[in-house]
Amino acid sequence: MSKKTPDLHAAYSLKSPEENKQLYAEWAGDYDEGFAALEDYQLHHHTARAFVGAGGQGPVLDVGAGTGLCGAILAGLGVGPIDATDISAEMLDQAMRKDIYRDAIEADLNHGLPVSRDSYTGVVSSGTFTHGHLGPETLPALLRVARPGAQFALSINAKHFEALGFADAFRRLEVDQISKLSFTEVRIYGALAAGPNKDDVALIALFEMR
């Protein structure tokens, strides 16, 4: 990993959990002001509102919670309790300062979640599947902690949806694990964004556990 100041380009270049941890440890302190505000980041708004619009309710697991941007929107919409999970302890520390989360769970999705089966009635993820360093192989870890009937809202960068196999993975899951699957395309960044990723779009996958 380069020692350059963390930025969006560095985030899109992540290749491993170790690189992820290093970048977000360095970025945590000014992530909200130095990235979310300057890049007019909007994905957390879209994801939280899609979850609530589909009838989602707590307890909710916010996957890849980062500094708590999506959790803050959920809390503002009356959703709770909310637990945060992220690979970065530093990002979780920032998230917990917002006083919106019940618990913080440091975890690498590649190795599962240290959470009991059927713990949540809702699972949201805004940004975890944006940079391409995590693929659909991590979806079973999320399904395991969800109760029957649990509502999901997972945002996935449209560039990676086919390339990393998300489309095929969802088709397989529809056979006997999930239902009411739908996709909504949204812009990741708003009108104030600049740079090569300003026009990126994501698909928000909405579905329920069977």
Side-chain angles (χ1 to χ4, degrees):
M1 172 68 69
S2 169
K3 293 187 180 299
K4 295 187 300 181
T5 301
D7 58 15
L8 187 58
H9 175 73
Y12 272 84
S13 301
L14 293 172
K15 300 296 183 184
S16 70
E18 291 73 24
E19 289 183 350
N20 190 301
K21 283 185 176 182
Q22 182 176 333
L23 181 132
Y24 285 104
E26 297 169 0
W27 210 359
D30 66 352
Y31 184 85
D32 291 7
E33 297 79 12
F35 162 66
L38 294 178
E39 292 289 342
D40 199 12
Y41 186 60
Q42 296 295 315
L43 188 56
H44 55 300
H45 290 279
H46 297 310
T47 304
R49 289 168 182 162
F51 176 77
V52 173
Q57 54 186 303
V60 175
L61 182 64
D62 183 1
V63 179
T67 60
L69 294 175
C70 188
I73 303 299
L74 288 172
L77 293 171
V79 175
I82 312 169
D83 291 343
T85 185
D86 200 279
I87 196 173
S88 170
E90 292 80 7
M91 297 290 268
L92 285 173
D93 180 64
Q94 295 294 322
M96 293 304 286
R97 295 182 186 186
K98 290 183 167 68
D99 293 325
I100 55 175
Y101 291 107
R102 177 179 65 178
D103 194 13
I105 305 161
E106 184 180 348
D108 178 352
L109 282 184
N110 290 298
H111 302 295
L113 289 164
V115 174
S116 299
R117 185 180 296 274
D118 300 341
S119 293
Y120 297 98
T121 56
V123 178
V124 302
S125 178
S126 173
T128 305
F129 302 109
T130 296
H131 305 313
H133 60 289
L134 287 176
E137 66 278 358
T138 60
L139 292 176
L142 307 186
L143 298 179
R144 187 187 68 83
V145 301
R147 300 169 184 168
Q151 178 66 53
F152 280 71
L154 309 180
S155 67
I156 304 158
N157 191 311
K159 292 180 179 178
H160 307 311
F161 189 78
E162 291 285 350
L164 295 184
F166 281 98
D168 290 337
F170 279 118
R171 280 193 288 268
R172 291 193 296 270
L173 291 173
E174 272 194 294
V175 174
D176 58 3
Q177 290 185 265
I178 67 173
S179 63
K180 301 182 181 179
L181 176 65
S182 66
F183 299 100
T184 301
E185 185 174 285
V186 299
R187 290 177 59 90
I188 297 176
Y189 307 100
L192 300 179
N197 299 107
K198 66 182 179 64
D199 295 320
D200 282 9
V201 297
L203 298 174
I204 298 178
L206 290 171
F207 59 90
E208 291 183 8
M209 278 290 292
R210 289 188 179 178

